[in-house]
């Protein structure tokens, strides 16, 4: 088994390498699932006839009459929350919060919208998603940093993709949370590829953490991207979303699908307190659960689990999308680098943590900044979401990239403290050899 060690060391940095700050992510000590390609932090492009993409040839306009019960109230009612109001003077200064629900941005790129008014309005100093400039912008006119596999923060497990837990992620400025789910004995869990490989707990617990943060931050809009790995019925997600309290904040669009110019401003979402946008990659059904949006009807993605450091900004999912249709949707850049290793005939896909400083950087070959600039030039507008592993590596570099695309200045401190007890990735010969040996045996049986 020790013969595998040199190959794996290409992936995992040495004991005192440049990425010790990755944190709680070490090699797994349990067997991997018996598949032909094993995943240690990476994900596979879904293939097969069971993975289908919705093809909508017309736009459906939703009205309160087309919904029923509590769902209709979610779609049409104004929140009774006292956290957000149209004009709230500050008690300690002369700053004002001016959130106007009728503002619409027509700016083609991510730039601060200008509003013409016959009367002088106080300047807004209340940040929306950390920037006052964002309040008047449409949801589809902002670039946000997304945490790839957000819940997978499990110490001593190489299938993790983040070092900091979801609350830290949100506090630091992450505004899209991505996660993969699996159904086990009727309960949804946040698991990576298999719950035997990495199990981060129930989806309801994860949703509850997000809902608590959203409740405490009434001026923030959060996006959740659910990976429905087992292709379970969308109705199975309704109960944990409702029990967690997250569904009460879920945004229900006025149309199916929403074009890039159809989205509301952050102010409008904040005023109605419908400020959690939930996407699902497969098996969404907006007539059954209208607040779980079909991802690929609303946005497209660049190549999935990329292994090419050039990160080509081409459209991959949904397949067969025309350039004209792609230009009418938001888009997500997958900028989480993976490496393929073949061991005893088994291909292992793993997150390339040894290159995180370059991958998450503002400039340089293979950097997030370089990819973002390429995408902006290629598609004549910035990406909406930048999906990254270990966003904390780079001390805020990923947020600097997003800020430049948004024409704002990033001046926050980053990032949350990685637990001091976390053991950084290193080439521990005994642990590494035994892990890969178990993985190969597990895959061959």
């Amino acid at each position: 088994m020790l013969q595998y060690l040199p190959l794996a060391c290409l992936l995992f940095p040495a004991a005192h390498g440049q990425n010790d700050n990755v944190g709680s992510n070490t090699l797994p000590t349990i067997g991997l699932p018996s598949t032909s390609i094993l995943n240690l932090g990476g994900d596979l492009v879904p293939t097969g006839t069971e993975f289908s993409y919705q093809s909508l040839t017309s736009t459906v306009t939703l009205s309160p009459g087309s919904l029923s019960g509590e769902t209709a109230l979610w779609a049409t009612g104004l929140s009774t929350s006292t956290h957000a109001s149209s004009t709230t003077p500050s008690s300690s200064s002369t700053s004002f919060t001016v959130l106007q629900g009728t503002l619409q941005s027509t700016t083609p790129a991510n730039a601060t919208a200008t509003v013409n008014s016959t009367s002088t309005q106080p300047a807004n100093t209340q940040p929306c998603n950390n920037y006052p400039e964002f309040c008047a912008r449409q949801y589809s006119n902002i670039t946000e940093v997304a945490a790839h596999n957000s819940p997978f923060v499990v110490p001593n497990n190489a299938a993790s993709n983040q070092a900091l837990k979801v609350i830290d992620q949100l506090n630091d400025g992450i505004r899209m949370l991505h996660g993969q789910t699996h159904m086990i004995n009727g309960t949804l869990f946040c698991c990576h590829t298999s719950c035997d490989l990495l199990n981060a707990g129930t989806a309801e617990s994860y949703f509850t953490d997000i809902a608590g943060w959203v409740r405490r931050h009434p001026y923030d809009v959060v996006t959740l991207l659910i990976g429905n790995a087992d292709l379970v019925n969308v109705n199975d997600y309704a109960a944990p979303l409702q029990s967690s309290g997250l569904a009460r904040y879920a945004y229900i669009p006025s149309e199916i699908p929403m074009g890039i110019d159809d989205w509301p401003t952050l102010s409008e979402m904040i005023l109605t307190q419908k400020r959690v946008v939930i996407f699902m990659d497969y098996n969404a059904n907006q007539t059954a659960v209208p607040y779980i949006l079909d991802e690929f009807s609303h946005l497209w993605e660049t190549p999935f689990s990329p292994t090419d450091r050039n990160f080509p900004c081409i459209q991959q999912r949904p397949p067969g999308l025309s350039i004209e249709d792609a230009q009418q949707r938001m888009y997500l850049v997958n900028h989480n680098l993976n490496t393929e290793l073949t061991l005893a005939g088994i291909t292992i896909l793993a997150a390339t943590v040894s290159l995180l400083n370059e991958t998450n950087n503002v400039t340089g070959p293979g950097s997030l900044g370089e990819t973002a600039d390429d995408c902006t030039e290629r598609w004549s507008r910035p990406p909406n979401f930048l999906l990254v592993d270990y966003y904390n590596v780079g001390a805020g570099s990923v947020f600097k990239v997003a800020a430049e695309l948004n024409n704002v200045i990033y001046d926050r401190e980053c990032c949350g403290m990685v637990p001091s007890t976390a053991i950084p990735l290193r080439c521990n010969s005994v642990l590494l050899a035994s892990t890969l040996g178990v993985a190969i045996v597990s895959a061959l049986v």
Side-chain angles (χ1 to χ4, degrees), residues 37-282:
I37 300 181
L38 305 176
N39 302 299
L40 296 176
D43 297 295
L44 302 179
V45 178
T47 59
T49 57
E50 67 272 22
F51 291 96
S52 60
Y53 298 85
Q54 297 184 16
S55 178
L56 301 176
T57 57
S58 61
T59 300
V60 178
T61 301
L62 297 179
S63 63
S66 65
L67 306 175
S68 61
E70 189 176 8
T71 300
L73 294 177
W74 288 344
T76 61
L78 289 176
S79 170
T80 58
S81 170
T82 59
H83 294 302
S85 59
S86 57
T87 306
T88 305
S90 168
S91 59
S92 58
S93 69
T94 56
S95 2
F96 288 86
T97 297
V98 183
L99 299 180
Q100 299 182 355
T102 58
L103 300 182
Q104 293 289 340
S105 170
T106 57
T107 311
N110 293 359
T112 303
T114 57
V115 180
N116 295 324
S117 175
T118 56
S119 60
T120 301
Q121 294 285 348
N124 175 35
T125 58
Q126 170 62 52
C128 300
N129 283 20
N130 291 324
Y131 297 97
E133 296 92 336
F134 287 3
C135 296
R137 294 191 198 176
Q138 287 176 283
Y139 172 83
S140 55
N141 191 33
I142 300 171
T143 299
E144 297 285 11
V145 180
H148 176 229
N149 285 331
S150 162
F152 301 154
V153 187
V154 178
N156 307 325
N157 194 311
S160 293
N161 292 96
Q162 303 297 333
L164 300 168
K165 294 186 177 181
V166 64
I167 299 302
D168 292 317
Q169 295 170 22
L170 291 167
N171 286 339
D172 285 335
I174 294 292
R175 288 299 176 269
M176 173 186 264
L177 302 166
H178 165 265
Q180 187 183 120
T181 57
H182 292 261
M183 180 71 81
I184 304 295
N185 296 326
T187 300
L188 284 167
F189 284 86
C190 294
C191 299
H192 197 178
T193 304
S194 163
C195 289
D196 291 329
L197 173 61
L198 187 154
N199 187 337
T202 66
E204 182 175 332
S205 175
Y206 176 62
F207 297 155
T208 299
D209 287 342
I210 300 171
W213 190 92
V214 169
R215 183 175 59 253
R216 296 188 297 272
H217 297 79
Y219 292 102
D220 285 272
V221 176
V222 174
T223 302
L224 179 63
L225 176 54
I226 299 174
N228 186 4
D230 289 343
L231 302 178
V232 303
N233 192 293
V234 67
N235 289 294
D236 291 326
Y237 287 85
L241 284 168
Q242 292 174 13
S243 297
S244 67
L246 193 58
R248 65 171 294 188
Y249 300 105
Y251 172 75
I252 298 179
S254 58
E255 298 178 350
I256 305 175
M258 296 281 279
I260 193 168
D261 296 324
D262 298 331
W263 291 88
T265 63
L266 295 197
S267 289
E268 292 171 318
M269 302 173 81
I270 289 167
L271 286 169
T272 60
Q273 287 295 288
K274 304 307 173 188
R275 47 194 179 84
V276 175
V277 180
I278 304 174
F279 291 111
M280 180 179 287
D281 55 0
Y282 299 103

Side-chain angles (χ1 to χ4, degrees), residues 397-420:
S397 57
V398 295
F399 298 112
K400 293 177 183 176
V401 172
E404 290 182 4
L405 296 177
N406 287 317
N407 292 329
V408 294
I409 298 175
Y410 175 77
D411 57 3
R412 296 162 57 88
E413 291 188 4
C414 184
C415 297
M417 296 297 295
V418 175
S420 59

Side-chain angles (χ1 to χ4, degrees), residues 2-17:
L2 292 177
Q3 61 183 321
Y4 305 146
L5 181 59
L7 287 175
C9 284
L10 296 176
L11 269 169
F12 306 120
H16 300 289

